[in-house]
Amino acid sequence: MIKAGQIEKGTALLFKGQPFICVEREFVNPGKGSAFVRVRLKSPSTGQVLRETFKTQDNVENITVEDRDCQYLYNDGENFHFMNNETFDQLEVPMASFEDYQYLIKEGETYRVTFWENQVLEIQIPTKVIFEVAEAEEAIKGDTVTGATKNVTTETGLVVRVPIFIKQGERILVNTETKEYLERINK
Amino acid sequence: MSIRQLFTKKSSLLYSRLMDINSIKQRSLLAKNIRSWFEDHNYLEVSTPVLSTHLIPEPTIAHFSTRYISEFYQQRDLYLVPSPEVHMKHIIRETQSSIFQISQCFRNREQIGSHHNPEFTMLEYYTVGADEVDSIAITEQLMKETALEGTQEHLLPPFNTMSVSEAMYTYAQVDLEKTQSLHSLKQEAQRLGLSLPEQSESWEETFHRIFLQFVEPNLPQEKPLVLYDYPMQIECLAKQVPNKPYKKRWELYAGGIEVANCYDEQTDKEKVREFYTQQYAQLIHQRSNSDEVIPDIDLDFIEIFDEHFPQCSGVALGFDRLLMLQGGYNRVGDLMLFNVSDMIHPIR
C-alpha cells in the first residue's frame, strides 16, 4: 500500500482489481479544502483511461513490477512485436493499448518494458528522442516572419511542428510527451 | 573538496532553466496595470509582513516555520504567511478604507504541480461597504481593464455565474439540500461509484471527492465562471447565506482553473470566535501526533471585530495563475524564476 500522494507518472496500481499505470498526475488543493490528487490511470490490457481523484492520504494498492530490456522488431497493424534481449523470447503487445506509441518507437531499438505477472504494463519511451526528418515541406520563399513554423514527418510517422529551417534528412530532438520540437541535432 | 574547489566548480543550476525574458516583462506590466487600477479606484496599497509571529487556525493549510535567534531577545518561532488576510483586516479596521496588496505567500506541503508552488504571489483586495456580489462587478472591471494584450476572449469578462448547488446537481446529480448529513452525502458518493476509505472522513472531504471528480472538470469554460454559495461545512470567514446551508463565498474559474476566492467577510466577533475554536481544535487534533507545524494563534484578531469593523468584501486572486492564463503559459512553474522544483526531487 502507498498513499495516493505518492503516485507518480509510471506508478503501477491495482485499482478495482485491475492493473493500471498512472499516465498523468496532478495535485489539487481546493480553496479551503483538503489536499487531493487527480490521476489518469491507463489499463494496459484495454487501453482504457480512467480519470480518478484521491485524497493524498488515501491508501492505494501499488504492485511490484519488473523492467526488462526488449528490442522492438515491427508491428503488424494489430500488435507490436518485441524480443526479450535476455531470453530472446518474442512477445506481442496489442497496439490498441498503446495508442500513439507506433509513432514514437523505432524498429531495432531497445526499450525498457514494464511487466507485471508477464503482462506488459508499459513501454518506457525516453522523454527526449532524436528522430530523422523523413518528409519536410519546402519553406515558402520570402517567408521571413520570425518564429514561422511548418510540419515535418519523422521516420516513425510522427508529425512535428518545427522551425522552417529544418530540412528533410536532418535530425531533430523531440519531447515525446508533448510531441514538441526541442532542437536540431547537428552532426 | 576544498572550499576553493567548491566555488570554482561551475554550477549548472542557474542555467538549468532558460529565463523567459518575456514572462519577466509581462509580470511587471500586469502588476503595474493592477496597481494603477486600484489607485484610480481609491484603494490604498498596503504592505504587510511575510514573516509573522501569529497566524489564524486553518487546518487545511500546512505552514512553514522558522526561528528567530538573537542575543537580546528570547528565541521564538516565526511563520511565513499563507495569506496576508489577518494583517490586512487589522489595517481595514484602523483605516476604514479599501485596501489592496500584491505579496508573496507560502504554503507548505503544496505539491509542485502545474498550478501550484510552495511560494506564490497573491493579489488581495478588500472593498469597504461592499458585499460578495459587488465584488463580482469589481473583479470583472479590474480584469477587463488590466488584462495583458493578447489575452484570449474566454479568459476575459463578462463572467458567467452558477451556484455550487446547481453545479453539483447538473454534473453529479447530487441535491445539496438533501445531502446535508454525512451519511446521505456518502450514499451519493457510493452511487457515483467513488470508493471511500474505511477510516471516517468529514462532510467537506466527501464533498470535495464528488466535486473534484465530477463537477470541476466539467464546468463551462467559454467565459470565466463565478461559482457561488459554497457549502457552510467548508469552514471559512465568510458570512452565512440567510436560511440556507451556504456561505457568501465565491470562487472564480478561468480556463478551468481556480483563480480567485471571495467572501462577504464575517464581521461578527462571536462567529469569528466560533471559527477559531472549531478550527483550532481540528488543527490540534490533526497535527498533535505529526511533525506538522502548529502555529501560535493570533488572539488579537478576534478582538478587531467590534462595532468599528466595517462591512467589506475581500478577494484573494492568484497572481501567478492570472499571469499564466493571460500570457498563454501552460504551467505556473514556467513563470517562477529560480523555481524550487529545480532543486527538490521526488522520492523514489
Side-chain angles (χ1 to χ4, degrees):
Chain A
M1 286 285 185
I2 56 168
K3 296 282 179 208
Q6 292 171 280
I7 300 176
E8 279 188 53
K9 200 177 162 191
T11 303
L13 299 174
L14 203 60
F15 182 67
K16 296 185 174 167
Q18 295 289 320
F20 285 92
I21 285 275
C22 170
V23 289
E24 208 179 288
R25 172 212 64 180
E26 194 185 3
F27 290 98
V28 255
N29 292 31
K32 314 293 158 195
S34 312
F36 286 82
V37 58
R38 216 179 242 152
V39 293
R40 289 169 80 86
L41 302 175
K42 193 177 79 171
S43 158
S45 46
T46 62
Q48 181 202 12
V49 176
L50 303 181
R51 205 199 58 217
E52 292 295 327
T53 311
F54 299 109
K55 259 187 74 187
T56 54
Q57 292 304 310
D58 284 351
N59 288 318
V60 288
E61 199 172 345
N62 58 329
I63 49 182
T64 313
V65 295
E66 196 188 331
D67 286 345
R68 297 175 200 153
D69 283 337
C70 297
Q71 191 185 27
Y72 172 48
L73 304 173
Y74 64 98
N75 78 62
D76 58 17
E78 257 184 43
N79 290 302
F80 293 119
H81 292 257
F82 279 88
M83 181 185 69
N84 184 322
N85 286 5
E86 248 175 61
T87 62
F88 305 112
D89 288 343
Q90 287 210 15
L91 56 126
E92 290 180 1
V93 182
M95 289 172 72
S97 313
F98 298 95
E99 215 186 328
D100 280 1
Y101 280 43
Q102 57 175 308
Y103 304 116
L104 300 171
I105 56 176
K106 298 194 245 182
E107 290 180 8
E109 292 263 324
T110 292
Y111 295 91
R112 300 287 288 166
V113 176
T114 309
F115 287 81
W116 177 65
E117 294 179 350
N118 285 324
Q119 187 183 350
V120 172
L121 293 191
E122 181 65 303
I123 303 160
Q124 299 178 23
I125 302 172
T127 321
K128 293 173 181 178
V129 173
I130 297 170
F131 290 100
E132 198 176 297
V133 177
E135 281 169 49
E137 311 159 2
E138 279 299 308
I140 302 150
K141 230 181 178 176
D143 189 355
T144 51
V145 185
T146 41
T149 58
K150 63 177 183 183
N151 283 333
V152 297
T153 310
T154 67
E155 80 271 36
T156 52
L158 181 70
V159 177
V160 187
R161 199 131 195 95
V162 300
I164 49 173
F165 57 76
I166 300 290
K167 295 188 195 70
Q168 191 174 329
E170 284 188 315
R171 296 190 307 151
I172 55 170
L173 189 67
V174 174
N175 179 327
T176 54
E177 284 172 14
T178 59
K179 319 244 181 354
E180 279 169 6
Y181 165 88
L182 295 170
E183 62 185 39
R184 178 165 63 178
I185 303 294
N186 295 313
K187 280 158 208 160
Chain B
M1 193 189 289
S2 72
I3 288 183
R4 180 170 295 277
Q5 278 173 327
L6 180 69
F7 291 114
T8 48
K9 186 173 155 271
K10 187 183 160 201
S11 161
S12 59
L13 212 56
L14 264 182
Y15 305 100
S16 63
R17 184 184 294 271
L18 285 175
M19 276 195 202
D20 182 344
I21 312 279
N22 200 37
S23 84
I24 300 175
K25 289 182 179 165
Q26 284 177 315
R27 181 181 286 274
S28 162
L29 183 62
L30 184 58
K32 195 159 75 182
N33 291 351
I34 288 171
R35 285 205 167 88
S36 97
W37 191 91
F38 280 112
E39 196 179 318
D40 291 347
H41 292 81
N42 295 318
Y43 286 70
L44 181 67
E45 181 168 11
V46 298
S47 180
T48 59
V50 160
L51 203 55
S52 179
T53 52
H54 298 85
L55 299 176
I56 58 170
E58 288 177 292
T60 59
I61 294 175
H63 303 101
F64 280 100
S65 79
T66 184
R67 197 151 181 82
Y68 175 70
I69 300 163
S70 157
E71 287 159 45
F72 310 107
Y73 299 96
Q74 286 180 6
Q75 293 192 15
R76 69 160 300 146
D77 286 337
L78 296 174
Y79 312 98
L80 294 176
V81 294
S83 105
E85 176 179 357
V86 180
H87 295 119
M88 289 182 81
K89 284 183 178 168
H90 277 278
I91 296 176
I92 290 169
R93 185 186 173 281
E94 290 309 311
T95 64
Q96 302 285 315
S97 66
S98 299
I99 59 174
F100 82 100
Q101 173 164 228
I102 299 174
S103 62
Q104 296 308 101
C105 298
F106 302 83
R107 297 193 184 177
N108 214 338
R109 279 192 180 274
E110 197 81 347
Q111 316 282 350
I112 305 169
S114 43
H115 305 144
H116 292 273
N117 203 58
E119 174 176 358
F120 60 99
T121 310
M122 187 97 97
L123 163 64
E124 193 145 322
Y125 48 100
Y126 291 85
T127 312
V128 166
D131 64 12
E132 86 285 9
V133 179
D134 299 322
S135 275
I136 298 177
I138 292 164
T139 306
E140 276 185 313
Q141 201 189 344
L142 166 75
M143 278 179 64
K144 180 165 169 263
E145 292 171 12
T146 61
L148 292 173
E149 212 175 297
T151 300
Q152 291 178 35
E153 259 323 294
H154 74 284
L155 302 170
L156 290 170
F159 300 159
N160 285 329
T161 56
M162 187 188 280
S163 70
V164 175
S165 74
E166 186 188 343
M168 285 291 277
Y169 197 77
T170 308
Y171 303 109
Q173 295 76 51
V174 171
D175 186 333
L176 272 188
E177 300 204 9
K178 288 183 185 152
T179 48
Q180 286 297 302
S181 74
L182 178 58
H183 177 72
S184 56
L185 189 66
K186 274 186 162 171
Q187 278 182 333
E188 289 294 86
Q190 273 151 357
R191 172 183 63 79
L192 290 162
L194 291 178
S195 30
L196 299 174
E198 282 166 21
Q199 64 267 39
S200 66
E201 65 176 14
S202 66
W203 193 96
E204 173 270 311
E205 289 166 322
T206 307
F207 166 82
H208 274 122
R209 279 183 200 278
I210 300 171
F211 181 80
L212 292 173
Q213 175 79 13
F214 299 100
V215 181
E216 198 190 70
N218 296 312
L219 292 174
Q221 296 185 16
E222 302 84 57
K223 275 287 169 190
L225 178 74
V226 168
L227 202 60
Y228 65 92
D229 285 359
Y230 271 71
M232 65 177 189
Q233 290 88 343
I234 306 171
E235 289 293 338
C236 66
L237 287 168
K239 281 187 190 137
Q240 176 99 11
V241 177
N243 309 316
K244 293 274 181 193
Y246 308 129
K247 287 281 171 91
K248 296 179 84 174
R249 166 186 166 206
W250 54 255
E251 292 257 359
L252 177 67
Y253 281 85
I257 301 166
E258 204 184 319
V259 287
N261 177 49
C262 170
Y263 298 160
D264 183 345
E265 300 292 344
Q266 184 59 268
T267 52
D268 180 329
K269 186 189 280 188
E270 288 319 307
K271 293 274 166 52
V272 176
R273 196 186 306 279
E274 209 177 287
F275 171 88
Y276 255 62
T277 312
Q278 196 263 351
Q279 295 287 285
Y280 192 61
Q282 198 180 325
L283 189 139
I284 296 289
H285 173 72
Q286 285 174 4
R287 300 189 187 175
S288 52
N289 292 320
S290 75
D291 51 7
E292 205 100 349
V293 175
I294 300 178
D296 286 346
I297 296 302
D298 184 357
L299 294 172
D300 290 345
F301 184 65
I302 301 175
E303 300 308 318
I304 68 174
F305 297 99
D306 57 12
E307 71 277 18
H308 300 298
F309 193 89
Q311 160 70 36
C312 65
S313 169
V315 179
L317 189 151
F319 183 84
D320 307 295
R321 289 187 182 179
L322 188 68
L323 178 60
M324 172 183 86
L325 292 168
Q326 294 193 354
Y329 295 88
N330 293 323
R331 296 165 46 83
V332 157
D334 294 345
L335 301 162
M336 303 282 175
L337 304 174
F338 317 106
N339 194 334
V340 289
S341 71
D342 292 346
M343 288 156 251
I344 297 176
H345 303 289
I347 306 164
R348 277 280 166 205

